């Protein structure tokens, strides 16, 4: 599934049919189901993780004194739940963390189909330098729409390559 703060995370990512949060109902929610929990001494037993996918759809107010959380839908409320469609695991490195390095490519994914390899450096997406983009913008592009084609510039072994990455819904 990827890398977490406590090390590698193994399991599956899927969708649950429906969930209610207070008076709000969501369908087809992305959920992660870990095989084992890292560092069990520091975590609470659980079956899955809905993550920030739901919370980012709300403005939240924490009323600590009364032990309450108030939710108000925001501009992301109606956006569909999507997961990465590139099949690339990557991280920011270098001066000011402006270099994007591919650490892993999921076999059979859009990234693998495009010929992207581990240790490639992504230098641009859709003719825009990644140095001018935030990680959130990059993440959003890679989960934007099934079958969307992106022009990805890659630096590998002293050479610049341009590939077409056609996103594939994996979850």
């Amino acid at each position: 599934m990827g890398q977490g703060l406590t090390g590698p995370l193994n399991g599956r990512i899927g969708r649950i049919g429906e969930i209610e949060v207070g008076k709000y109902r969501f369908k087809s929610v992305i959920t992660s189901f870990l095989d084992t929990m890292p560092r069990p001494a520091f975590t609470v037993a659980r079956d899955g993780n809905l993550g920030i996918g739901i919370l980012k759809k709300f403005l939240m107010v924490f009323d600590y004194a009364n032990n309450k959380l108030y939710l108000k839908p925001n501009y992301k409320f109606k956006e569909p739940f999507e997961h990465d469609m590139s099949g690339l695991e990557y991280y920011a490195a270098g001066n000011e963390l402006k270099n994007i390095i591919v650490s892993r490519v999921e076999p059979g994914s859009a990234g693998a189909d495009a010929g992207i390899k581990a240790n490639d450096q992504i230098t641009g997406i859709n003719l825009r330098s990644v140095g001018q983009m935030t990680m959130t913008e990059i993440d959003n592009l890679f989960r934007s729409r099934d079958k969307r084609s992106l022009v990805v510039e890659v630096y590998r072994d002293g050479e610049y390559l341009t590939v077409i990455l056609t996103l594939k819904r994996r979850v």
Side-chain angles (χ1 to χ4, degrees):
M1 286 183 30
Q3 196 72 15
L5 293 174
T6 57
L9 300 173
N10 298 309
R12 307 223 185 290
I13 295 177
R15 291 183 185 266
I16 57 172
E18 184 175 276
I19 188 169
E20 283 185 36
V21 177
K23 66 182 181 179
Y24 305 104
R25 179 174 288 162
F26 299 98
K27 295 179 187 258
S28 195
V29 178
I30 299 284
T31 309
S32 61
F33 300 96
L34 297 175
D35 288 342
T36 58
M37 294 298 297
R39 296 191 189 197
F42 299 110
T43 60
V44 175
R46 61 186 186 199
D47 294 327
N49 181 13
L50 297 171
I52 198 165
I54 288 180
L55 294 181
K56 74 178 183 178
K57 295 178 176 292
F58 294 99
L59 297 173
M60 297 179 288
V61 175
F62 293 92
D63 180 356
Y64 292 107
N66 295 303
N67 201 27
K68 293 186 179 194
L69 169 65
Y70 296 96
L71 301 173
K72 178 180 179 183
N74 66 23
Y75 69 98
K76 293 183 177 224
F77 187 77
K78 293 186 178 182
E79 287 182 4
F81 292 92
E82 290 297 355
H83 184 63
D84 168 70
M85 296 184 216
S86 71
L88 303 176
E89 288 181 18
Y90 49 90
Y91 61 93
N95 189 23
E96 298 182 32
L97 300 176
K98 293 295 184 180
N99 298 331
I100 305 301
I101 310 297
V102 176
S103 56
R104 182 176 173 277
V105 181
E106 181 72 24
S109 69
D113 293 348
I116 297 174
K117 298 179 180 180
N119 300 315
D120 282 354
Q121 179 178 336
I122 298 174
T123 59
I125 302 172
N126 286 348
L127 307 178
R128 187 171 169 209
S129 167
V130 295
Q132 300 171 341
M133 302 169 78
T134 66
M135 287 298 280
T136 299
E137 289 174 306
I138 294 167
D139 291 345
N140 287 342
L141 279 172
F142 287 155
R143 74 165 131 258
S144 59
R145 188 178 68 246
D146 189 35
K147 298 184 177 119
R148 178 181 184 182
S149 292
L150 304 172
V151 177
V152 178
E153 298 162 11
V154 173
Y155 183 73
R156 178 191 305 151
D157 299 328
E159 250 185 285
Y160 286 93
L161 310 166
T162 301
V163 299
I164 302 298
L165 176 72
T166 303
L167 301 176
K168 281 198 264 190
R169 182 173 283 130
R170 301 178 313 134
V171 179

